[in-house]
Amino acid sequence: MRKPKSTGKAETQPVSASIEVYESKNFRLQTDLSAAAANELLERLEKMIELVSRYYGQPNSQTIEMSVVDSRENWPVGSIPPEALPSIESGAGITLNATAFLQNALGEKQITRVKSVVWAVAERGVPQHEAVHAFCHQNFGRTGPTWYSEGMAELGKYWRDQNKGVQIDDEVMRYLQRTEPQSLDDITHSKHKTGDSWQNYAWRWVLCHLLSTNPNYAPRFKPLGLALLGGQPTQFDDVYGSMSKEISFEYLLFLKQIDQGYRCDLCAWDWKTKPMRLKGTSTTQVKVIANRGWQAAKVQLKQGDRVSFVATGDWSLQPNGPKIGPEGDEQQQGRLVGILFDDYELFEPFDLGKNGEYEAVRDGVLFVRCQDDWCQLADNSGTVTVKFQAVKPQPAKSK
Ligand SMILES: [Zn+2]
């Protein structure tokens, strides 16, 4: 971003020749990374902090000081402050915060300035993670409760420009796919502290990612964050208590389907559309969008109910890909499929296709979608219209 400056000028710590200082609009970076890598990191940090400032509606008020360690051997003894050393040696990072006070006329202490200094290893998005803490601390004076503070820092770490899909470390992905989910209560109420374990960070990330990207919860998430950063006496349950069953359902669904590229915004559950029981000759019609997850079919079923359906239209599973009808292709991709939802429980998906009859194996509300890999919905296009009608019960045979 800028040419490296000689380090002797600003820092009091003696540094070896391979450690240089780089500056950009919001950062001052001291590092032993190559100039190319340092500039690339600054560019990413700038983009991320711009997004974070826009999200919070708060421009960054002062330069964020970052020291990023690529190779420990390049840093002479004493160049890394003792408070930061354990984090650096364990391959992590830490944001050291200094608060300056001023006495007012009444002799009361008032915060005048909060300054954060970040120490981080160069790998795995650690500098980005710590930069979010530094931003929150410098601009709000606090970073919020652990689940929020660390969850948001993990969002920053994984943030990619123009990419709304899940993109996390493979090790974290495998852990989330194979482990019994931590409960929402455990994540938001536990006494767990910053720096506890990467596993706990993973659950915090899941919750913050879901709440910030799913349109059912995102509108309340930003005001909650601002309240927490503003030190207001509020918490997760105050804001989301009335939606706890819905959040819990979508949290578990997210974890069931999670993989790289998964889009919470496209798979948000439809809690609003009211289903109805089809009777007599009444029909209902629904438009199914190819790039979405399960969508309400507006049909309520009792066990044994039979409905006939006809699906028209076509969709495509990749940009400029072949058009596929609701019967699907040879691999059954693009086929219209259904699922029953009842009292926050989902049952086994089943096949529908272009037309036919479906008999409900249990009570439930019908949801439908275009069969495709859960993590590759975004590039789908097209819609299919499905018309449902009740099938008349067979008249009892008379002798
Ligand atoms: Zn952190």
Side-chain angles (χ1 to χ4, degrees):
M1 209 147 259
R2 301 273 184 281
K3 273 192 180 169
K5 286 184 175 178
S6 97
T7 51
K9 279 184 201 166
E11 287 300 296
T12 50
Q13 291 156 350
V15 287
S16 86
S18 65
I19 298 169
E20 305 285 353
V21 171
Y22 303 81
E23 285 178 349
S24 64
K25 190 175 162 211
N26 292 289
F27 293 90
R28 185 176 180 280
L29 171 65
Q30 173 186 233
T31 185
D32 58 327
L33 281 168
S34 71
N39 283 321
E40 195 200 358
L41 175 61
L42 274 182
E43 209 169 301
R44 287 176 60 158
L45 286 168
E46 282 295 344
K47 278 188 184 165
M48 184 197 77
I49 222 68
E50 192 190 315
L51 195 88
V52 173
S53 329
R54 221 184 308 140
Y55 178 79
Y56 287 119
Q58 176 97 12
N60 181 38
S61 61
Q62 54 176 319
T63 301
I64 297 174
E65 302 274 349
M66 311 257 317
S67 293
V68 172
V69 177
D70 185 28
S71 173
R72 176 75 181 80
E73 295 89 72
N74 290 335
W75 298 73
V77 175
S79 63
I80 300 173
E83 315 93 278
L85 211 47
S87 297
I88 295 299
E89 289 186 336
S90 64
I94 189 169
T95 301
L96 306 171
N97 300 304
T99 307
F101 295 97
L102 197 74
Q103 277 197 348
N104 66 11
L106 300 170
E108 295 161 335
K109 266 188 172 179
Q110 288 180 325
I111 295 179
T112 57
R113 202 171 125 99
V114 180
K115 181 76 195 162
S116 299
V117 176
V118 168
W119 280 88
V121 297
E123 312 161 317
R124 293 171 288 105
V126 176
Q128 287 93 317
H129 175 109
E130 295 301 330
V132 174
H133 287 324
F135 173 88
C136 290
H137 205 87
Q138 289 193 164
N139 295 289
F140 296 98
R142 56 180 73 71
T143 59
T146 307
W147 72 268
Y148 183 82
S149 169
E150 298 303 344
M152 293 306 278
E154 289 294 275
L155 283 191
K157 159 180 159 177
Y158 289 130
W159 168 79
R160 301 282 183 282
D161 201 13
Q162 310 289 335
N163 189 347
K164 291 182 185 174
V166 165
Q167 204 63 244
I168 58 176
D169 291 341
D170 289 332
E171 189 187 5
V172 174
M173 180 61 80
R174 281 193 293 276
Y175 169 74
L176 292 174
Q177 286 170 331
R178 291 170 190 178
T179 315
E180 190 66 26
Q182 206 170 82
S183 76
L184 293 180
D185 212 39
D186 273 352
I187 300 174
T188 57
H189 286 180
S190 72
K191 302 270 184 286
H192 296 153
K193 288 274 176 280
T194 285
D196 45 9
S197 69
W198 65 264
Q199 289 89 343
N200 281 338
Y201 278 55
W203 300 115
R204 292 166 190 146
W205 169 82
V206 171
L207 181 59
C208 288
H209 182 86
L210 175 72
L211 296 177
S212 63
T213 54
N214 182 315
N216 291 327
Y217 315 111
R220 293 187 187 189
F221 191 54
K222 193 191 288 192
L224 169 63
L226 286 167
L228 293 171
L229 293 175
Q232 290 170 34
T234 185
Q235 54 177 331
F236 180 81
D237 300 328
D238 299 337
V239 172
Y240 288 119
S242 63
M243 309 169 110
S244 61
K245 280 185 164 178
E246 286 79 4
I247 294 180
S248 189
F249 172 83
E250 293 206 59
Y251 168 72
L252 295 175
L253 190 63
F254 176 27
L255 287 165
K256 202 173 164 196
Q257 294 162 350
I258 193 169
D259 212 336
Q260 308 289 9
Y262 186 82
R263 291 273 300 268
C264 287
D265 57 330
L266 299 179
C267 299
W269 199 257
D270 179 354
W271 300 105
K272 292 193 183 112
T273 302
K274 294 279 169 270
M276 61 169 195
R277 190 122 181 260
L278 291 173
K279 281 182 183 156
T281 56
S282 67
T283 61
T284 189
Q285 190 167 299
V286 65
K287 198 177 254 186
V288 188
I289 304 168
N291 69 2
R292 295 290 164 82
W294 293 115
Q295 296 156 65
K298 300 193 282 187
V299 177
Q300 172 108 48
L301 296 161
K302 288 274 177 206
Q303 186 179 355
D305 277 358
R306 284 165 66 214
V307 287
S308 66
F309 62 90
V310 178
T312 51
D314 48 42
W315 40 37
S316 171
L317 302 185
Q318 56 214 332
N320 305 314
K323 296 234 182 280
I324 302 171
E327 68 281 3
D329 65 11
E330 283 166 6
Q331 285 83 41
Q332 306 289 298
Q333 295 296 297
R335 195 167 168 86
L336 182 72
V337 289
I339 201 166
L340 288 181
F341 166 90
D342 189 32
D343 193 23
Y344 300 96
E345 197 176 345
L346 268 187
F347 300 94
E348 281 302 303
F350 47 84
D351 203 44
L352 289 171
K354 193 176 172 62
N355 53 53
E357 277 184 23
Y358 170 69
E359 182 175 333
V361 293
R362 64 175 75 246
D363 296 0
V365 179
L366 181 62
F367 282 74
V368 289
R369 76 175 190 108
C370 166
Q371 175 68 44
D372 190 20
D373 186 326
W374 276 107
C375 299
Q376 290 177 21
L377 298 182
D379 61 356
N380 295 359
S381 60
T383 59
V384 154
T385 301
V386 195
K387 197 171 170 183
F388 294 94
Q389 185 167 25
V391 175
K392 273 189 208 149
Q394 300 285 331
K397 281 182 185 165
S398 53
K399 282 185 181 170

